[in-house]
């Protein structure tokens, strides 16, 4: 039976002198014994169904919701873990964006059970099947990957960089800012441009090309409120447009959807307030 | 100039033709050898799609239009020198 070495358990060798050390031998099971091990408890499995939107542009098929079953016991807690497991084990053709797996890059933004969020931060909901679809009202490139070029162009259009008319007080050094002025940027600089807010706004659904959307307007406010920036009046005039700013009707879906806990609606109200007092 | 026997073009057909014209216009601004290559590639792709793609498959046609517009924007940039294509044979894939 025993093919390998079997060391019998020895009782603890009492230390005779301080120099001698106690050596403990443990008994090792043989190879055959190891294979015969019986599990103490029955291995349970928690099945969970995911209904994932699938569309391949190169195939002639229409988009569809495909069902995938996985065992939650062998999977991490977040939706991204489940997607990666499905891609590894069940269907390698499942396509989705992901990068940091910790909620800081904004790549894995998608619609999970009707709510926009980051897949790496959304826990897998318990219960019945979970529906995973791409961000709503965006052109789909493949499966869960959407076309973000319009969103990025809108962000570029508000000129999200520091603009000054006068040179800095100390040339080639940082432009100083008080703590209170820096506090004004809190709640805006943390935006990761995941597009969860803009794609949850019904006003952005109906006017994606003309309305800038909560994310771009949040960043517009971030540069308007920056004390170091000297083009505040020009920035306010650039946004002061019937469509660019005033398509916002304070629906506030954006604040609900933001995975970082920001409130773009509040920042948009700030811009509207400044528009009233400036002109 | 339209012949009376030709049917009226739909909005999507006009978009496809406009994209084709834009590609040929962009080709004019490149070097002469490149211009002929761009024209042959673009016309072969458009002709192939016109015969292979179902006229009613709006989803795929719109996807091709968007992809074509992006490629056209890249081609229009003065830094772009030319256009080339790669043919991948769709060999039989083994599925375990």
């Amino acid at each position: 039976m025993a093919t390998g070495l079997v060391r019998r358990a020895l009782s603890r060798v009492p230390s005779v002198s301080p120099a001698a050390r106690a050596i403990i031998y443990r008994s090792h099971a043989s190879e055959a014994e190891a294979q015969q091990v019986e599990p103490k408890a029955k291995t349970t499995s928690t099945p969970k169904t995911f209904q994932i939107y699938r569309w391949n542009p190169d195939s002639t098929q229409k988009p569809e919701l495909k069902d995938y079953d996985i065992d939650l016991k062998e999977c991490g807690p977040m939706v991204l873990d489940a997607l990666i497991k499905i891609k590894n084990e069940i269907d390698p053709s499942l396509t989705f964006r992901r990068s940091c797996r910790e909620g800081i890059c904004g790549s894995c933004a998608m619609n999970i059970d009707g709510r926009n969020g980051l897949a790496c931060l959304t826990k897998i909901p318990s219960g019945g099947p979970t529906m995973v679809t791409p961000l709503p009202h965006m052109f789909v490139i493949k499966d869960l990957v959407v076309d973000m070029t319009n969103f990025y162009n809108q962000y570029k259009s508000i000129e999200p960089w520091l603009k000054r008319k006068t040179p800095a007080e100390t040339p080639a050094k940082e432009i100083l800012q008080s703590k209170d002025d820096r506090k004004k940027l809190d709640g805006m600089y943390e935006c990761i441009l995941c597009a969860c807010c803009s794609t949850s706004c019904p006003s952005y659904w109906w006017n994606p090309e003309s309305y800038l959307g909560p994310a771009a307007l949040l960043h517009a406010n971030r540069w308007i409120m920056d004390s170091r920036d000297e083009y505040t009046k020009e920035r306010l005039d650039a946004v002061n447009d019937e469509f660019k700013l005033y398509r916002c009707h304070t629906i506030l879906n954006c604040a609900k959807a933001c995975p970082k806990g920001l409130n773009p609606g509040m920042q948009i109200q700030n811009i509207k307030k400044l528009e009233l007092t400036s002109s | 100039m339209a012949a009376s026997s030709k049917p009226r073009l739909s909005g999507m057909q006009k978009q496809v033709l406009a994209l084709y014209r834009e590609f040929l216009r962009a080709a004019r601004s490149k070097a002469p050898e490149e211009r002929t290559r761009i024209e042959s590639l673009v016309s072969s792709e458009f002709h192939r799609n016109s015969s292979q793609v179902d006229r009613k498959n709006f989803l795929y046609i719109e996807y091709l239009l968007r992809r074509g517009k992006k490629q056209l924007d890249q081609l229009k940039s003065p830094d772009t020198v030319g256009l080339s294509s790669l043919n991948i044979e769709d060999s039989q894939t083994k599925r375990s």
Side-chain angles (χ1 to χ4, degrees), chain A:
Chain A
M1 180 172 109
T3 49
L5 285 167
V6 176
R7 274 187 248 138
R8 290 278 152 217
L10 292 175
S11 57
R12 207 182 200 154
V13 175
S15 51
V16 175
S17 64
R21 283 176 150 211
I23 306 162
I24 302 171
Y25 283 95
R26 289 214 179 89
S27 76
H28 296 262
S30 68
E31 274 179 58
E33 270 180 344
Q35 259 111 37
Q36 283 176 18
V37 163
E38 279 174 35
K40 270 191 261 181
K42 245 202 224 168
T43 48
T44 51
S45 80
T46 324
K48 169 85 183 173
T49 316
F50 282 91
Q51 291 170 330
I52 305 182
Y53 179 101
R54 302 297 312 270
W55 179 57
N56 187 353
D58 296 323
S59 79
T60 47
Q61 287 160 329
K62 284 203 166 5
E64 55 169 3
L65 281 173
K66 256 203 192 139
D67 282 359
Y68 296 98
D69 294 305
I70 60 164
D71 182 10
L72 287 185
K73 286 263 165 74
E74 296 170 359
C75 179
M78 302 300 182
V79 175
L80 184 66
D81 299 317
L83 286 173
I84 290 173
K85 188 177 161 69
I86 293 170
K87 190 176 170 78
N88 279 345
E89 296 172 11
I90 309 174
D91 189 351
S93 68
L94 177 64
T95 309
F96 52 93
R97 286 193 175 118
R98 82 284 177 268
S99 184
C100 70
R101 61 101 176 92
E102 60 184 359
I104 197 67
C105 70
S107 311
C108 55
M110 52 185 77
N111 190 308
I112 297 155
D113 269 342
R115 289 198 135 98
N116 283 357
L118 299 175
C120 56
L121 289 182
T122 312
K123 291 205 188 55
I124 300 175
S126 52
T130 299
M131 201 156 65
V132 178
T133 50
L135 290 174
H137 217 274
M138 294 278 242
F139 289 120
V140 177
I141 298 173
K142 186 178 179 182
D143 292 349
L144 299 170
V145 175
V146 293
D147 188 355
M148 302 273 281
T149 44
N150 183 32
F151 178 75
Y152 294 143
N153 285 337
Q154 283 164 336
Y155 175 61
K156 192 161 78 171
S157 72
I158 58 144
E159 301 192 339
W161 52 80
L162 193 66
K163 298 203 287 190
R164 282 183 74 86
K165 295 176 180 161
T166 60
E169 277 97 37
T170 45
K173 287 214 155 187
E174 299 91 342
I175 302 168
L176 299 177
Q177 188 179 49
S178 73
K179 272 197 177 167
D180 292 324
D181 282 335
R182 174 61 185 82
K183 237 191 164 65
K184 289 186 198 157
L185 302 177
D186 285 339
M188 296 187 278
Y189 81 93
E190 301 98 326
C191 172
I192 56 175
L193 288 173
C194 62
C196 283
C197 59
S198 289
T199 45
S200 67
C201 174
S203 201
Y204 188 76
W205 293 342
W206 316 141
N207 299 300
E209 281 108 36
S210 36
Y211 178 41
L212 289 180
L217 289 171
L218 179 130
H219 280 276
N221 193 38
R222 180 248 176 277
W223 289 105
I224 290 168
M225 296 300 285
D226 196 329
S227 61
R228 304 167 294 169
D229 184 82
E230 290 172 346
Y231 274 74
T232 315
K233 175 108 188 25
E234 287 84 346
R235 287 185 191 274
L236 282 169
D237 290 337
V239 185
N240 189 15
D241 182 85
E242 176 66 45
F243 274 98
K244 288 197 187 130
L245 173 65
Y246 292 105
R247 282 303 97 198
C248 171
H249 302 301
T250 52
I251 298 169
L252 288 172
N253 254 11
C254 48
K256 196 138 200 247
C258 181
K260 307 293 282 177
L262 309 180
N263 192 340
M266 189 167 75
Q267 315 303 341
I268 297 176
Q269 278 172 334
N270 184 287
I271 304 178
K272 288 178 182 172
K273 191 170 67 182
L274 288 172
E275 298 281 5
L276 279 175
T277 50
S278 74
S279 56

